[in-house]
Amino acid sequence: MTTTLLRTADELHARSRVGRRAVVMTMGALHEGHATLVRTARELAGPDGEVVVTVFVNPLQFGAGEDLDRYPRTLDADLKIAEDAGADAVFAPSVDEVYPGGEPQVRISAGPMGERLEGTSRPGHFDGMLTVVAKLLHLTRPDIALYGQKDAQQLALIRRMVRDLNFGVEIVGVPTVREDDGLARSSRNRYLSPRERRTALALSRALFAGRDRHAAQEALRARAREVPATHERAEALSALGESRAAADAHAVAKALPGAPSAVRAAARQILDDASRQDPPLALDYLALVDPSDFTEVEDGYTGEAVLAVAARVGTTRLIDNIPLTFGAAS
């Protein structure tokens, strides 16, 4: 398969369409994480469908002092990665093609969710992101659009925009792809020196520590629900050695702090240690949030959650997250 490079919307619209079109939106500098998105898109589009990868560095997403000018632009390499992963076309429009009248006067507002976490650190970022996503959805006219779960808040906002504004497209989130050492794949990883990279590993280690604490607590809670709760029933199983196990499980489950608090504490300990490394990790935020609106979850919360972290190592800002599910209280 040879991947076609397209520069204008007219070129894209002139292509014949038979099956479903799946679109993967990127800012270029493609890596294995993007390739995974493209391969997933290929599977969803099917043999008769079409996979289009967009490559566009959106100036509206970069605030003052951010890395728009130094953001890597590697179109030739991007084409090769897209082709190897199964893309039919790469749509790489110019700024004038996407914003023909200059910066748009009418933009999409991310609303309250866009002001939290990443929105606090990068004011206006999500307004610019949603504006270009809306533009590219209109320009590419896909049936399916795929985004990585590494940018969890971005994915949540795109889903909300599509739902609230009745876009006729299916949004698919694809799990985060990690390097062998656990670092989430990102175009910005190339900016890290070897020493900075060692410090940056604290992000994923903190998330994994929170995940492990969560798993241990959920197991204890499940154990507490399964073992007998009454004295009579516990005594009836004493020959099987269950009464002591029941008492231990109930005692431990009761003594543990609320699961969200314990998860945050486990992750923060790793990040605090990294803040004393050389070079140090400068924490931006650590949050455990409801993915529907990105508000912090409290102790006793049940349902889906996202444990998210952002930090700087040297001049490079990195983000990462993992999904968690909190079960019903015992």
Side-chain angles (χ1 to χ4, degrees):
M1 174 190 294
T2 299
T3 299
T4 303
L5 175 62
L6 307 171
R7 292 290 194 174
T8 69
D10 287 343
E11 292 174 330
L12 182 58
H13 297 164
R15 293 173 66 86
S16 60
R17 294 180 61 171
V18 178
R20 296 199 298 174
R21 175 177 286 173
V23 165
V24 174
M25 295 184 186
T26 81
M27 292 207 300
L30 302 191
H31 50 66
E32 179 57 28
H34 297 109
T36 298
L37 286 168
V38 177
R39 286 193 291 268
T40 304
R42 180 78 273 160
E43 293 173 5
L44 294 176
D48 297 326
E50 181 182 49
V51 175
V52 177
V53 176
T54 70
V55 174
F56 180 66
V57 181
N58 179 32
L60 300 189
Q61 289 175 234
F62 291 80
E66 293 191 330
D67 54 359
L68 173 61
D69 291 337
R70 74 165 184 155
Y71 196 87
R73 290 160 171 84
T74 57
L75 185 58
D76 289 342
D78 294 344
L79 279 167
K80 181 66 167 61
I81 291 173
E83 183 170 277
D84 290 345
D88 297 287
V90 168
F91 177 49
S94 66
V95 173
D96 288 340
E97 178 72 14
V98 177
Y99 303 122
E103 288 196 4
Q105 297 299 302
V106 176
R107 308 187 187 194
I108 291 179
S109 169
M113 193 187 345
E115 298 171 358
R116 300 174 184 133
L117 299 189
E118 286 296 293
T120 299
S121 301
R122 307 176 68 188
H125 166 74
F126 286 125
D127 293 352
M129 179 276 294
L130 289 179
T131 298
V132 80
V133 167
K135 291 272 288 187
L136 289 172
L137 287 174
H138 290 315
L139 290 170
T140 59
R141 302 172 184 174
D143 301 288
I144 314 165
L146 296 89
Y147 303 89
Q149 290 179 0
K150 185 179 81 70
D151 298 297
Q153 193 171 3
Q154 169 179 285
L155 175 58
L157 281 162
I158 292 171
R159 282 178 165 152
R160 191 61 185 251
M161 177 185 73
V162 166
R163 182 170 67 250
D164 287 355
L165 301 183
N166 300 101
F167 281 67
V169 60
E170 178 186 355
I171 302 300
V172 175
V174 178
T176 300
V177 176
R178 298 187 178 278
E179 311 254 10
D180 291 342
D181 57 10
L183 191 66
R185 287 191 181 270
S186 169
S187 301
R188 291 186 168 94
N189 290 353
R190 67 186 68 192
Y191 300 150
L192 297 169
S193 70
R195 292 174 61 241
E196 289 172 339
R197 186 185 178 95
R198 285 194 294 272
T199 296
L201 292 177
L203 272 73
S204 56
R205 290 197 298 110
L207 296 178
F208 298 158
R211 179 193 61 192
D212 291 346
R213 178 66 60 85
H214 167 265
Q217 288 196 301
E218 289 295 313
L220 283 169
R221 290 172 187 276
R223 174 64 178 153
R225 288 194 297 270
E226 291 170 1
V227 297
T230 65
H231 177 74
E232 292 80 5
R233 293 179 66 192
E235 287 300 317
L237 291 172
S238 60
L240 300 177
E242 291 290 342
S243 58
R244 178 60 183 272
D248 289 347
H250 280 293
V252 173
K254 184 176 180 180
L256 282 170
S261 295
V263 168
R264 290 187 186 95
R268 183 167 289 278
Q269 182 175 352
I270 302 295
L271 297 169
D272 287 346
D273 290 344
S275 71
R276 295 185 287 271
Q277 291 183 7
D278 182 21
L281 180 142
L283 182 65
D284 191 342
Y285 62 76
L286 171 69
L288 184 59
V289 298
D290 181 340
S292 69
D293 60 8
F294 269 66
T295 56
E296 291 278 355
V297 301
E298 303 296 334
D299 291 348
Y301 173 83
T302 60
E304 302 298 316
V306 173
L307 181 61
V309 63
R312 287 187 182 275
V313 181
T315 60
T316 303
R317 186 175 186 274
L318 301 170
I319 63 172
D320 200 354
N321 71 85
I322 55 171
L324 299 173
T325 302
F326 291 89
S330 57

Short mmCIF file of all heavy atoms in Angstrom, two decimals, residues 77-129:
data_model
loop_
_atom_site.label_atom_id
_atom_site.label_comp_id
_atom_site.label_asym_id
_atom_site.label_seq_id
_atom_site.Cartn_x
_atom_site.Cartn_y
_atom_site.Cartn_z
N ALA A 77 9.21 11.33 7.65
CA ALA A 77 9.19 10.18 8.56
C ALA A 77 7.76 9.82 8.95
O ALA A 77 7.42 8.63 9.09
CB ALA A 77 10.01 10.49 9.81
N ASP A 78 6.91 10.83 9.11
CA ASP A 78 5.51 10.59 9.46
C ASP A 78 4.80 9.79 8.37
O ASP A 78 4.02 8.87 8.65
CB ASP A 78 4.78 11.91 9.67
CG ASP A 78 5.29 12.68 10.88
OD1 ASP A 78 5.99 12.09 11.72
OD2 ASP A 78 4.98 13.89 10.97
N LEU A 79 5.08 10.13 7.13
CA LEU A 79 4.48 9.41 6.01
C LEU A 79 4.85 7.93 6.03
O LEU A 79 4.01 7.05 5.80
CB LEU A 79 4.92 10.04 4.69
CG LEU A 79 4.18 11.29 4.22
CD1 LEU A 79 4.94 11.96 3.08
CD2 LEU A 79 2.77 10.94 3.78
N LYS A 80 6.12 7.66 6.32
CA LYS A 80 6.59 6.26 6.36
C LYS A 80 5.90 5.49 7.49
O LYS A 80 5.46 4.35 7.29
CB LYS A 80 8.10 6.24 6.56
CG LYS A 80 8.71 4.84 6.58
CD LYS A 80 8.58 4.17 5.22
CE LYS A 80 9.45 2.91 5.11
NZ LYS A 80 9.09 1.88 6.11
N ILE A 81 5.81 6.10 8.67
CA ILE A 81 5.17 5.43 9.80
C ILE A 81 3.69 5.20 9.51
O ILE A 81 3.15 4.12 9.77
CB ILE A 81 5.35 6.27 11.09
CG1 ILE A 81 6.82 6.24 11.52
CG2 ILE A 81 4.45 5.76 12.21
CD1 ILE A 81 7.13 7.16 12.68
N ALA A 82 3.02 6.20 8.95
CA ALA A 82 1.61 6.06 8.62
C ALA A 82 1.39 4.96 7.59
O ALA A 82 0.46 4.15 7.70
CB ALA A 82 1.06 7.39 8.11
N GLU A 83 2.25 4.93 6.60
CA GLU A 83 2.13 3.91 5.55
C GLU A 83 2.34 2.51 6.12
O GLU A 83 1.56 1.59 5.85
CB GLU A 83 3.15 4.19 4.44
CG GLU A 83 3.06 3.23 3.26
CD GLU A 83 3.93 3.70 2.11
OE1 GLU A 83 3.46 4.57 1.34
OE2 GLU A 83 5.07 3.23 2.00
N ASP A 84 3.37 2.34 6.93
CA ASP A 84 3.67 1.03 7.52
C ASP A 84 2.52 0.55 8.41
O ASP A 84 2.30 -0.66 8.55
CB ASP A 84 4.96 1.08 8.32
CG ASP A 84 6.20 1.23 7.43
OD1 ASP A 84 6.07 1.01 6.21
OD2 ASP A 84 7.27 1.56 7.97
N ALA A 85 1.81 1.50 9.04
CA ALA A 85 0.72 1.14 9.95
C ALA A 85 -0.60 0.90 9.23
O ALA A 85 -1.57 0.45 9.84
CB ALA A 85 0.55 2.22 11.01
N GLY A 86 -0.65 1.23 7.92
CA GLY A 86 -1.86 0.92 7.16
C GLY A 86 -2.71 2.10 6.76
O GLY A 86 -3.88 1.92 6.38
N ALA A 87 -2.18 3.33 6.79
CA ALA A 87 -2.96 4.50 6.40
C ALA A 87 -3.07 4.58 4.88
O ALA A 87 -2.11 4.31 4.16
CB ALA A 87 -2.32 5.77 6.95
N ASP A 88 -4.24 5.00 4.42
CA ASP A 88 -4.44 5.20 2.98
C ASP A 88 -3.98 6.59 2.55
O ASP A 88 -3.51 6.78 1.43
CB ASP A 88 -5.91 5.04 2.63
CG ASP A 88 -6.42 3.64 2.90
OD1 ASP A 88 -6.05 2.74 2.14
OD2 ASP A 88 -7.16 3.45 3.89
N ALA A 89 -4.14 7.57 3.44
CA ALA A 89 -3.79 8.94 3.09
C ALA A 89 -3.33 9.70 4.32
O ALA A 89 -3.77 9.41 5.44
CB ALA A 89 -4.98 9.66 2.45
N VAL A 90 -2.43 10.65 4.11
CA VAL A 90 -2.04 11.61 5.13
C VAL A 90 -2.49 12.98 4.65
O VAL A 90 -2.12 13.42 3.56
CB VAL A 90 -0.52 11.60 5.38
CG1 VAL A 90 -0.10 12.81 6.23
CG2 VAL A 90 -0.10 10.32 6.08
N PHE A 91 -3.31 13.62 5.46
CA PHE A 91 -3.81 14.96 5.16
C PHE A 91 -2.99 15.94 5.98
O PHE A 91 -3.11 15.99 7.20
CB PHE A 91 -5.30 15.04 5.50
CG PHE A 91 -5.92 16.39 5.29
CD1 PHE A 91 -5.74 17.09 4.10
CD2 PHE A 91 -6.71 16.97 6.28
CE1 PHE A 91 -6.33 18.34 3.90
CE2 PHE A 91 -7.31 18.20 6.09
CZ PHE A 91 -7.12 18.89 4.89
N ALA A 92 -2.10 16.69 5.31
CA ALA A 92 -1.19 17.61 5.98
C ALA A 92 -1.43 19.03 5.44
O ALA A 92 -0.66 19.52 4.62
CB ALA A 92 0.26 17.19 5.78
N PRO A 93 -2.48 19.67 5.89
CA PRO A 93 -2.82 21.00 5.36
C PRO A 93 -1.93 22.08 5.95
O PRO A 93 -1.33 21.92 7.02
CB PRO A 93 -4.26 21.19 5.82
CG PRO A 93 -4.34 20.43 7.11
CD PRO A 93 -3.44 19.23 6.91
N SER A 94 -1.84 23.21 5.25
CA SER A 94 -1.13 24.38 5.77
C SER A 94 -2.04 25.11 6.76
O SER A 94 -3.25 24.84 6.85
CB SER A 94 -0.78 25.32 4.62
OG SER A 94 -1.97 25.85 4.04
N VAL A 95 -1.46 26.04 7.48
CA VAL A 95 -2.26 26.87 8.39
C VAL A 95 -3.31 27.65 7.60
O VAL A 95 -4.46 27.79 8.04
CB VAL A 95 -1.35 27.82 9.19
CG1 VAL A 95 -2.18 28.80 10.02
CG2 VAL A 95 -0.43 27.02 10.11
N ASP A 96 -2.95 28.13 6.42
CA ASP A 96 -3.90 28.90 5.60
C ASP A 96 -5.04 28.03 5.12
O ASP A 96 -6.16 28.52 4.94
CB ASP A 96 -3.18 29.51 4.39
CG ASP A 96 -2.26 30.66 4.78
OD1 ASP A 96 -2.45 31.23 5.87
OD2 ASP A 96 -1.34 30.98 3.99
N GLU A 97 -4.79 26.74 4.92
CA GLU A 97 -5.86 25.84 4.49
C GLU A 97 -6.87 25.62 5.61
O GLU A 97 -8.08 25.57 5.38
CB GLU A 97 -5.26 24.50 4.05
CG GLU A 97 -6.27 23.45 3.62
CD GLU A 97 -6.94 23.74 2.28
OE1 GLU A 97 -6.44 24.62 1.53
OE2 GLU A 97 -7.94 23.08 1.98
N VAL A 98 -6.37 25.48 6.83
CA VAL A 98 -7.27 25.23 7.97
C VAL A 98 -7.92 26.52 8.45
O VAL A 98 -9.11 26.55 8.80
CB VAL A 98 -6.49 24.56 9.12
CG1 VAL A 98 -7.39 24.35 10.34
CG2 VAL A 98 -5.92 23.21 8.66
N TYR A 99 -7.15 27.62 8.45
CA TYR A 99 -7.68 28.91 8.89
C TYR A 99 -7.50 29.92 7.75
O TYR A 99 -6.62 30.80 7.81
CB TYR A 99 -6.93 29.39 10.14
CG TYR A 99 -6.99 28.43 11.31
CD1 TYR A 99 -5.81 27.92 11.88
CD2 TYR A 99 -8.20 28.02 11.84
CE1 TYR A 99 -5.85 27.04 12.95
CE2 TYR A 99 -8.25 27.14 12.91
CZ TYR A 99 -7.08 26.66 13.46
OH TYR A 99 -7.12 25.79 14.52
N PRO A 100 -8.32 29.84 6.70
CA PRO A 100 -8.09 30.67 5.51
C PRO A 100 -8.23 32.17 5.75
O PRO A 100 -7.66 32.97 5.02
CB PRO A 100 -9.16 30.17 4.53
CG PRO A 100 -10.19 29.51 5.38
CD PRO A 100 -9.45 28.93 6.54
N GLY A 101 -8.95 32.57 6.76
CA GLY A 101 -9.11 33.99 7.05
C GLY A 101 -8.25 34.45 8.20
O GLY A 101 -8.52 35.51 8.80
N GLY A 102 -7.22 33.69 8.53
CA GLY A 102 -6.45 33.98 9.73
C GLY A 102 -7.07 33.28 10.92
O GLY A 102 -7.96 32.43 10.77
N GLU A 103 -6.63 33.60 12.12
CA GLU A 103 -7.18 32.96 13.31
C GLU A 103 -8.69 33.17 13.35
O GLU A 103 -9.18 34.28 13.13
CB GLU A 103 -6.53 33.53 14.57
CG GLU A 103 -5.09 33.10 14.76
CD GLU A 103 -4.60 33.34 16.19
OE1 GLU A 103 -5.42 33.77 17.03
OE2 GLU A 103 -3.41 33.09 16.45
N PRO A 104 -9.45 32.10 13.61
CA PRO A 104 -10.91 32.20 13.56
C PRO A 104 -11.47 33.12 14.64
O PRO A 104 -11.02 33.10 15.79
CB PRO A 104 -11.38 30.76 13.78
CG PRO A 104 -10.25 30.11 14.50
CD PRO A 104 -9.00 30.75 13.99
N GLN A 105 -12.44 33.93 14.26
CA GLN A 105 -13.10 34.81 15.22
C GLN A 105 -14.10 34.05 16.08
O GLN A 105 -14.33 34.39 17.23
CB GLN A 105 -13.81 35.95 14.47
CG GLN A 105 -12.87 36.85 13.69
CD GLN A 105 -11.85 37.54 14.60
OE1 GLN A 105 -12.22 38.24 15.53
NE2 GLN A 105 -10.57 37.30 14.34
N VAL A 106 -14.71 33.01 15.51
CA VAL A 106 -15.65 32.17 16.23
C VAL A 106 -14.94 30.87 16.59
O VAL A 106 -14.40 30.19 15.72
CB VAL A 106 -16.90 31.88 15.38
CG1 VAL A 106 -17.84 30.92 16.12
CG2 VAL A 106 -17.63 33.17 15.04
N ARG A 107 -14.93 30.55 17.88
CA ARG A 107 -14.24 29.35 18.35
C ARG A 107 -15.15 28.55 19.25
O ARG A 107 -16.15 29.06 19.76
CB ARG A 107 -12.96 29.71 19.09
CG ARG A 107 -12.04 30.64 18.31
CD ARG A 107 -10.72 30.83 19.00
NE ARG A 107 -9.90 31.84 18.34
CZ ARG A 107 -8.62 32.02 18.58
NH1 ARG A 107 -8.00 31.26 19.47
NH2 ARG A 107 -7.94 32.95 17.94
N ILE A 108 -14.78 27.31 19.51
CA ILE A 108 -15.52 26.46 20.43
C ILE A 108 -14.94 26.61 21.82
O ILE A 108 -13.72 26.56 22.01
CB ILE A 108 -15.48 25.00 19.97
CG1 ILE A 108 -16.30 24.86 18.68
CG2 ILE A 108 -15.99 24.06 21.06
CD1 ILE A 108 -16.32 23.47 18.11
N SER A 109 -15.81 26.82 22.78
CA SER A 109 -15.37 26.93 24.17
C SER A 109 -15.45 25.57 24.85
O SER A 109 -16.45 24.85 24.71
CB SER A 109 -16.26 27.93 24.93
OG SER A 109 -16.01 27.86 26.33
N ALA A 110 -14.41 25.24 25.57
CA ALA A 110 -14.37 23.96 26.28
C ALA A 110 -15.23 23.97 27.55
O ALA A 110 -15.45 22.92 28.14
CB ALA A 110 -12.93 23.59 26.63
N GLY A 111 -15.68 25.15 27.97
CA GLY A 111 -16.54 25.22 29.14
C GLY A 111 -15.78 24.93 30.43
O GLY A 111 -14.55 24.88 30.46
N PRO A 112 -16.52 24.68 31.52
CA PRO A 112 -15.88 24.47 32.83
C PRO A 112 -14.88 23.32 32.85
O PRO A 112 -13.84 23.41 33.50
CB PRO A 112 -17.07 24.18 33.75
CG PRO A 112 -18.23 24.85 33.10
CD PRO A 112 -17.99 24.71 31.63
N MET A 113 -15.16 22.22 32.14
CA MET A 113 -14.22 21.10 32.14
C MET A 113 -12.88 21.49 31.55
O MET A 113 -11.84 20.98 31.93
CB MET A 113 -14.79 19.89 31.38
CG MET A 113 -13.99 18.65 31.63
SD MET A 113 -14.36 17.11 30.70
CE MET A 113 -15.93 17.39 29.98
N GLY A 114 -12.92 22.42 30.61
CA GLY A 114 -11.68 22.85 29.97
C GLY A 114 -10.85 23.81 30.81
O GLY A 114 -9.73 24.16 30.42
N GLU A 115 -11.37 24.21 31.96
CA GLU A 115 -10.64 25.11 32.85
C GLU A 115 -9.94 24.36 33.97
O GLU A 115 -9.24 24.97 34.79
CB GLU A 115 -11.60 26.15 33.43
CG GLU A 115 -12.24 27.05 32.36
CD GLU A 115 -13.34 27.92 32.90
OE1 GLU A 115 -13.65 27.79 34.12
OE2 GLU A 115 -13.92 28.70 32.13
N ARG A 116 -10.14 23.05 34.04
CA ARG A 116 -9.54 22.25 35.11
C ARG A 116 -8.25 21.59 34.65
O ARG A 116 -8.02 21.40 33.47
CB ARG A 116 -10.55 21.18 35.58
CG ARG A 116 -11.83 21.79 36.11
CD ARG A 116 -12.90 20.77 36.43
NE ARG A 116 -14.12 21.47 36.85
CZ ARG A 116 -15.34 21.21 36.39
NH1 ARG A 116 -15.53 20.23 35.52
NH2 ARG A 116 -16.37 21.91 36.81
N LEU A 117 -7.40 21.23 35.59
CA LEU A 117 -6.16 20.50 35.34
C LEU A 117 -5.36 21.11 34.20
O LEU A 117 -4.76 22.16 34.35
CB LEU A 117 -6.47 19.02 35.09
CG LEU A 117 -7.15 18.26 36.23
CD1 LEU A 117 -7.19 16.77 35.93
CD2 LEU A 117 -6.51 18.52 37.57
N GLU A 118 -5.35 20.48 33.03
CA GLU A 118 -4.58 21.03 31.91
C GLU A 118 -5.03 22.43 31.56
O GLU A 118 -4.23 23.27 31.16
CB GLU A 118 -4.71 20.12 30.68
CG GLU A 118 -3.93 18.83 30.76
CD GLU A 118 -2.43 19.09 30.81
OE1 GLU A 118 -1.86 19.58 29.82
OE2 GLU A 118 -1.82 18.80 31.86
N GLY A 119 -6.32 22.70 31.70
CA GLY A 119 -6.84 24.02 31.39
C GLY A 119 -6.33 25.09 32.34
O GLY A 119 -6.14 26.25 31.94
N THR A 120 -6.10 24.72 33.60
CA THR A 120 -5.53 25.67 34.56
C THR A 120 -4.08 25.96 34.20
O THR A 120 -3.63 27.11 34.27
CB THR A 120 -5.60 25.08 35.99
OG1 THR A 120 -6.97 24.86 36.33
CG2 THR A 120 -4.98 26.03 36.99
N SER A 121 -3.35 24.93 33.82
CA SER A 121 -1.94 25.11 33.49
C SER A 121 -1.74 25.77 32.13
O SER A 121 -0.74 26.45 31.91
CB SER A 121 -1.24 23.74 33.49
OG SER A 121 -1.35 23.11 34.75
N ARG A 122 -2.69 25.55 31.23
CA ARG A 122 -2.56 26.05 29.86
C ARG A 122 -3.86 26.75 29.45
O ARG A 122 -4.67 26.19 28.69
CB ARG A 122 -2.24 24.90 28.91
CG ARG A 122 -1.05 24.05 29.34
CD ARG A 122 -0.85 22.86 28.42
NE ARG A 122 -0.44 23.27 27.08
CZ ARG A 122 -0.35 22.44 26.04
NH1 ARG A 122 -0.66 21.16 26.19
NH2 ARG A 122 0.04 22.88 24.85
N PRO A 123 -4.09 27.96 29.93
CA PRO A 123 -5.36 28.65 29.64
C PRO A 123 -5.60 28.79 28.13
O PRO A 123 -4.70 29.16 27.38
CB PRO A 123 -5.15 30.03 30.29
CG PRO A 123 -4.12 29.81 31.35
CD PRO A 123 -3.21 28.75 30.80
N GLY A 124 -6.80 28.47 27.72
CA GLY A 124 -7.18 28.57 26.32
C GLY A 124 -6.78 27.39 25.46
O GLY A 124 -7.22 27.28 24.30
N HIS A 125 -5.97 26.48 26.01
CA HIS A 125 -5.49 25.33 25.24
C HIS A 125 -6.63 24.51 24.68
O HIS A 125 -6.65 24.15 23.49
CB HIS A 125 -4.58 24.47 26.11
CG HIS A 125 -4.29 23.11 25.53
ND1 HIS A 125 -3.45 22.91 24.47
CD2 HIS A 125 -4.77 21.87 25.87
CE1 HIS A 125 -3.39 21.62 24.18
NE2 HIS A 125 -4.19 20.97 25.01
N PHE A 126 -7.61 24.18 25.52
CA PHE A 126 -8.67 23.29 25.08
C PHE A 126 -9.65 23.98 24.13
O PHE A 126 -10.25 23.32 23.28
CB PHE A 126 -9.40 22.69 26.28
CG PHE A 126 -8.61 21.63 26.98
CD1 PHE A 126 -8.35 21.71 28.34
CD2 PHE A 126 -8.11 20.54 26.29
CE1 PHE A 126 -7.63 20.72 28.98
CE2 PHE A 126 -7.37 19.55 26.92
CZ PHE A 126 -7.14 19.63 28.27
N ASP A 127 -9.81 25.29 24.26
CA ASP A 127 -10.61 26.00 23.26
C ASP A 127 -9.98 25.85 21.88
O ASP A 127 -10.66 25.58 20.89
CB ASP A 127 -10.72 27.49 23.61
CG ASP A 127 -11.51 27.74 24.89
OD1 ASP A 127 -12.10 26.78 25.42
OD2 ASP A 127 -11.53 28.90 25.35
N GLY A 128 -8.67 26.03 21.81
CA GLY A 128 -7.96 25.88 20.54
C GLY A 128 -8.00 24.46 20.03
O GLY A 128 -8.15 24.22 18.82
N MET A 129 -7.87 23.49 20.96
CA MET A 129 -7.91 22.09 20.56
C MET A 129 -9.27 21.72 19.98
O MET A 129 -9.36 21.11 18.91
CB MET A 129 -7.56 21.21 21.76
CG MET A 129 -7.58 19.71 21.48
SD MET A 129 -9.23 18.92 21.59
CE MET A 129 -9.60 19.13 23.34
#
